[in-house]
Every structure is written in C-alpha cells, then in structure tokens.
C-alpha cells in the first residue's frame, strides 16, 4: 500500500512539475529592441517621403553617414536639410531607444511570475520533518492574455509617439531652414540699403566740406548711415545664430557646418491647394492624436482586467513535499489564497476608472485642438499668401515706379541726388518687407503641414514674380549717377 501511494505521489509530482515547466517555457521570450521600428519608418515615409535609420553600429550606419556627407556638399533645400536631420540628429537616435523600452515592457507583460520555492525543517525528539513546496502564481497565469493585450497597446502608443517626434523634428528643421534662407536674403538687402546710405553720407560730407550743406543735414545723413550699419550688423548676427540652430537640428559640427544655401527663398505659389478637408485630414493623420487614443485604449483594458481580478488576491497553485521521521514521504498539491477581507480592489478600480476618464478627456481635448490648429494654419497660409501677392503685385511695382520717376526728375535737374537715394532706399526697404512676408508664408506652410500631420503638395503654378526678384539692385544709370554725385559734390535741391 505504501509502495502504491509513493508511486502515485511521484506521478502527481511529475504531472504538476510538467505543468509548471510548460508554463515557464511559454512565458519565456527574448527582447527584440527594434521590433517596431519598421512601423515608424513606414509612418514617416508615408507622411514625409523621407528615410530614417536607427544607428546600430552596422554597415547600414556607414551608408547613412556617407549619404549625409554627400547631401552636405550640395546646396541645401528644405527636403535635404530634413533628410540630413533624420539621419544624423543624435537626440532622435536617443528617442528611438523608446521603442526598445516599449518592446521590453511588452515582453515583460507576457512573462509569468517566477515560481516561489520554499523549504522548512522541523527538528524534534522523534527526528526531523522536511517540508518543501513550489508555488506558481495563478493570477499571473489567468491574466497573461490580458496583460499581453495591454502591453501591445502600450507598444503601439510608444511607436506612434516616436513617429510623431520624427515628424516634429522634420517640421522644426524645415521652419529653421526657411528662417535661415530668409535671414540671408534680408542681410543682402540690408547691405544694399547700407551701400545706398553710405553714398548719401559720403556726398553729404563732401558738400559739408564745400560749404554747400548745413551741419544738421550732414548729421542726419550720417545718423541714417550709422543706423543702417547697425541694422546690417544685427541681420548678420541673426543669420549666424539661425545657422547654428539649424546645425544643432541637423546634428552637424566641425567642417560639416560649412554647408551652403540658396540666395533666395522659394517662390510663393499663386494658387493654394484645396484645404476644405483640412480638419478631417488632421484628425485622420495626426500621430499625437492616434497615440492619445491608444493610451485611452490601454486604460480601458487595464480597468477591465482590474475588475475581473478584484477578488483574486495572492493566489498560488503548486506542489508540496513532506518527509517525516521514519522516511515516510508525502506529495500533493498546495494552494495559497489571499482572502479579500479588507482590500477588495475598490481603490484599484477607482484609480483605473480615473485613468480611463482622464485618457478619454485628453483625446477629446486634443481632437478639438487638432481641428482648431488645422483651421488656424489654413487661415494663416491664406493670409500670408495674400500679403505676398499684395507686395508683389502692388507695393513693389509702385516703389519701382517711384524710383523710375524720381530718376527722370533727377536727370531733368528737378530733384536732388538725396531724393533719388531716398527713393532707392525706400524701394530696398520694401523689398526687405517682401522677403519677410515670403518667409512668413513658408513658416505658415510648415505649421500647416504640422497641423495636418503630413506633407501637403503644392499645386504646380508659375508665380507672376518670384521672390528672387525681391532684391532690387542698382541699375547702371543709377550707379553712374551715384558715382558722379560723389565725385562732383552735387548740391541738394
């Protein structure tokens, strides 16, 4: 009888041990850090048309670095500047590690709790009693599937957040690129104004020396020239500062910072794409909104799991072994159960309900913001285009007419050289305002793409006058007049 009992005990022990081994093997998994990176690459490629790479010290990293060097040797445009940043920005590379953290959390969610082994020795006059047990948490077993689903939703949320950070960096680079090119163009015009005021200041000095100009009028010209030199220096400092901001965003240093940009901003199109569905496009494409929805989904699943397990406290199932004096052995199942007397999960459920409500409210608030940002960006782009059009079609032609007519009056000796120089200065100042309007349009366009969650293709159109024409230079006749005026010391009229 004892032999049969011992054999049966061994059979039960083997069955329980086999079950535990199966559960342990099922819960084991490896962590693939870049498991969700292809999803990020797909989302970015769909919205930007650019490529991204995760620096993993591989041959592919060397190819990406070589591509960055080739792009830096060319004249940068907005697309190449964005591509350089996506391949080279180290903060973005650090952000990709969030995918590894999310994947680790997902794997951990699918792992069972480790079984608990315990042993006790009781000594007495009759001998020593040995007790041992191996217990596996039953709650971790029954909640495994639900925890996997919650972990998967969390990984999807992290993937969307990383992809959204990539888009955000791209928009920062694009905006900084347009700012830098606009600064360079504004600096060129500031130098033109400084040249014109220098000519006036030199002429005033000659006339003052000849006794043909009062000290007051000569001081006015000198003060105007000094002010223009100050504005030119400020424009140069602003350009240097904005170049460094773009350097940081692209992640370049050393010799790689000697990149070149075009002398002019891109031409502002005469027509805009239809933006009637801007709100719907923003709601469907914005990755931050999608990530917020995933957070709310995870909170809903966590609440459901908490409700299901509210009465299951510590619950373990395993096998126990006992040997008493006289070598008599006992083997059988053991159960550990926490009684829900004081804590019945009320606080955990309340917390999970609050988390779900907070997540839902955040989604609703962000959806309102997304729609508003889309409308605001659409209105800003339209207003900026109208300002550019007004400068191009009305203000600049008027300034050109004023300069031409003043030149005729000057040739007819009806006005003095100061009037001609003043007209030219006003024309260049207007051109500077036109450049600022162009820059504002492209910054507004960048914000529009950010608000809509992806690139917006511009319609193919030929502007009546491109922004490259916004920097009026001195004509040959005007240059000769200024040169002759400085040489002859014309009297002011």
């Amino acid at each position: 009888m004892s032999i049969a009992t011992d054999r049966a005990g061994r059979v039960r022990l083997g069955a329980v041990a086999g079950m535990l081994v199966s559960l342990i093997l099922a819960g084991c998994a490896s962590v693939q850090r870049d498991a969700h990176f292809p999803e990020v690459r797909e989302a970015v490629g769909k919205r930007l048309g650019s490529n991204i790479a995760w620096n993993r010290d591989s041959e592919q990293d060397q190819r990406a670095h070589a591509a960055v060097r080739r792009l830096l040797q060319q004249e940068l445009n907005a697309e190449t500047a964005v591509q350089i940043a996506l391949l080279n920005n180290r903060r973005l590379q650090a952000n990709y590690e969030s995918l590894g953290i999310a994947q680790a959390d997902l794997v951990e969610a699918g792992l069972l709790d480790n079984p608990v082994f315990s042993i006790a020795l009781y000594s007495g006059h009759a001998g020593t009693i040995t007790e041992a047990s191996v217990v596996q948490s039953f709650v971790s077993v029954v909640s495994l599937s639900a925890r996997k689903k919650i972990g998967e939703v969390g990984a999807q949320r992290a993937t969307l957040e990383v992809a959204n950070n990539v888009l955000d960096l791209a928009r920062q680079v694009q905006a900084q690129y347009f700012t830098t090119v606009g600064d360079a163009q504004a600096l060129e015009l500031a130098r033109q104004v400084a040249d014109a005021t220098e000519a006036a200041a030199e002429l005033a000095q000659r006339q003052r020396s000849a006794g043909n100009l009062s000290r007051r009028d000569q001081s006015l010209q000198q003060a105007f020239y000094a002010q223009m030199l100050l504005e030119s220096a400020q424009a140069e400092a602003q350009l240097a500062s904005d170049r460094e901001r773009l350097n940081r965003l692209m992640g370049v240093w050393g010799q790689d910072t000697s990149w070149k940009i075009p002398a002019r901003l891109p031409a502002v199109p005469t027509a805009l794409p239809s933006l009637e569905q801007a709100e719907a496009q923003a709601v469907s494409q914005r990755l931050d909104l999608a990530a917020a929805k995933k957070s709310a989904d995870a909170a809903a699943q966590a609440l459901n799991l908490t409700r299901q397990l509210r009465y299951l406290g510590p619950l373990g199932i395993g096998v126990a072994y006992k040997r008493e004096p006289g070598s008599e052995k006992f083997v059988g199942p053991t159960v550990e159960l926490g009684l829900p007397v004081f804590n019945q999960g009320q606080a955990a459920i309340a917390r999970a309900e609050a988390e779900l409500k907070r997540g839902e409210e955040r989604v609703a608030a962000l959806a309102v913001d997304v729609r508003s940002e889309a409308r605001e960006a659409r209105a800003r782009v339209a207003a900026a285009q109208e300002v550019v059009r007004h400068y191009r079609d009305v203000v600049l032609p008027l300034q050109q007419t004023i300069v031409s007519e003043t030149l005729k009056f000057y040739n007819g000796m009806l006005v003095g050289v100061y009037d001609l120089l003043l007209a030219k200065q006003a024309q260049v100042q207007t051109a500077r305002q036109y450049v600022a309007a162009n820059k504002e349009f492209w910054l507004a366009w960048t914000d529009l793409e950010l608000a809509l969650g992806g690139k917006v293709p511009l319609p193919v159109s030929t502007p009546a006058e491109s922004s490259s024409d916004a920097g009026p230079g001195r004509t040959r006749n005007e240059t000769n007049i200024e040169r002759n005026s400085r040489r002859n010391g014309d009297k002011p009229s």
Side-chain angles (χ1 to χ4, degrees), residues 178-458:
F178 288 133
T179 298
T180 304
V181 176
D183 288 344
Q185 192 172 351
L187 175 59
E188 178 187 352
L189 294 173
R191 286 170 175 170
Q192 288 188 26
V193 176
D195 290 343
T197 54
E198 181 184 17
E202 290 180 1
L203 176 59
Q205 180 63 38
R206 292 177 180 273
Q207 290 182 332
R208 172 63 180 167
S209 300
N212 296 326
L213 191 68
S214 67
R215 183 177 183 84
R216 173 185 175 277
D217 291 338
Q218 189 258 342
S219 298
L220 287 175
Q221 294 299 328
Q222 291 289 342
F224 193 24
Y225 174 49
Q227 180 63 32
M228 291 303 102
L229 286 179
L230 179 60
E231 291 187 12
S232 180
Q234 290 172 338
E236 189 170 357
Q238 186 64 49
L239 174 59
S241 177
D242 284 328
R243 279 187 67 99
E244 289 304 325
R245 290 191 182 97
L246 188 53
N247 282 332
R248 293 195 292 271
L249 290 172
M250 293 193 299
V252 298
W253 57 281
Q255 296 181 351
D256 290 341
T257 61
S258 59
W259 40 266
K260 295 180 175 59
I261 54 176
R264 301 287 185 268
L265 286 165
V268 173
T270 55
L272 294 178
S274 176
L275 298 174
E276 296 179 357
Q277 303 299 321
E279 291 184 45
Q281 181 179 349
V283 171
S284 63
Q285 286 199 156
R286 286 279 291 265
L287 295 178
D288 54 346
L289 182 59
K293 291 178 180 178
K294 289 297 180 182
S295 294
D297 291 343
Q301 295 189 26
L303 173 60
N304 185 47
L305 179 62
T306 303
R307 285 173 173 169
Q308 291 177 0
L309 303 179
R310 64 176 302 176
Y311 294 114
L312 289 180
L315 175 60
I317 299 177
V319 60
Y321 166 82
K322 183 176 181 180
R323 188 181 67 179
E324 293 186 350
S327 299
E328 188 173 0
K329 302 175 183 178
F330 303 89
V331 178
T334 181
V335 177
E336 292 182 351
L337 176 62
L339 300 178
V341 177
F342 305 110
N343 185 353
Q344 299 176 357
Q346 309 96 315
I349 291 177
R351 182 182 299 107
E353 289 175 343
E355 289 285 354
L356 175 58
K357 184 63 175 177
R358 180 171 64 176
E360 291 174 342
E361 292 297 336
R362 284 177 173 175
V363 171
L366 185 55
V368 172
D369 292 345
V370 164
R371 292 177 178 274
S372 175
E373 289 169 3
R375 295 193 302 270
E376 179 185 8
R378 179 179 60 188
R380 183 183 169 195
V381 165
Q385 187 210 30
E386 181 62 22
V387 171
V388 171
R389 185 204 63 79
H390 188 72
Y391 269 108
R392 183 183 60 215
D393 298 341
V394 179
V395 181
L396 283 176
L398 284 175
Q399 287 293 340
Q400 181 60 44
T401 300
I402 292 172
V403 171
S404 299
E405 293 300 314
T406 305
L407 179 60
K408 293 178 182 178
F409 277 48
Y410 175 78
N411 291 335
M413 302 184 68
L414 299 177
V415 297
V417 67
Y418 291 123
D419 296 301
L420 180 60
L421 293 176
L422 185 61
K424 186 62 180 177
Q425 292 164 7
Q427 183 190 31
V428 178
Q429 289 283 29
T430 302
R432 294 177 67 186
Q433 297 169 1
Y434 177 54
V435 169
N438 273 267
K439 183 171 71 172
E440 171 60 24
F441 172 84
W442 289 113
L443 293 179
W445 186 262
T446 299
D447 288 344
L448 174 66
E449 292 184 329
L450 180 63
L452 300 188
K455 289 191 71 66
V456 181
L458 282 167

Side-chain angles (χ1 to χ4, degrees), residues 106-128:
L106 174 59
V107 171
E108 185 173 10
L111 296 177
L112 295 172
D113 291 344
N114 292 324
V116 178
F117 172 77
S118 64
I119 185 170
L121 299 175
Y122 304 97
S123 297
H125 295 291
T128 300

Side-chain angles (χ1 to χ4, degrees), residues 71 74-85 173 177 250:
L71 292 174
Q74 306 170 8
E75 184 178 80
L76 295 187
N77 56 35
E79 288 73 20
T80 55
V82 168
Q83 185 62 81
I84 290 170
V173 173
Y177 171 83
M250 293 193 299

Side-chain angles (χ1 to χ4, degrees), residues 128-143:
T128 300
I129 300 176
T130 302
E131 290 185 0
S133 65
V134 178
V135 179
Q136 174 66 43
S137 172
F138 183 71
V139 175
S140 70
V141 176
V142 299
S143 65

Side-chain angles (χ1 to χ4, degrees), residues 61-118:
D61 303 335
Q62 299 300 324
R63 292 196 297 269
H65 184 69
V68 169
R69 286 297 180 91
R70 287 194 301 270
L71 292 174
L72 287 169
Q73 293 173 1
Q74 306 170 8
E75 184 178 80
L76 295 187
N77 56 35
E79 288 73 20
T80 55
V82 168
Q83 185 62 81
I84 290 170
L86 296 186
L87 294 176
N88 206 50
N89 186 284
R90 302 311 291 265
R91 284 188 173 85
L92 185 60
Q93 293 294 322
N95 201 4
Y96 290 152
E97 298 298 331
S98 300
L99 298 175
I101 296 173
Q103 182 63 16
D105 292 340
L106 174 59
V107 171
E108 185 173 10
L111 296 177
L112 295 172
D113 291 344
N114 292 324
V116 178
F117 172 77
S118 64

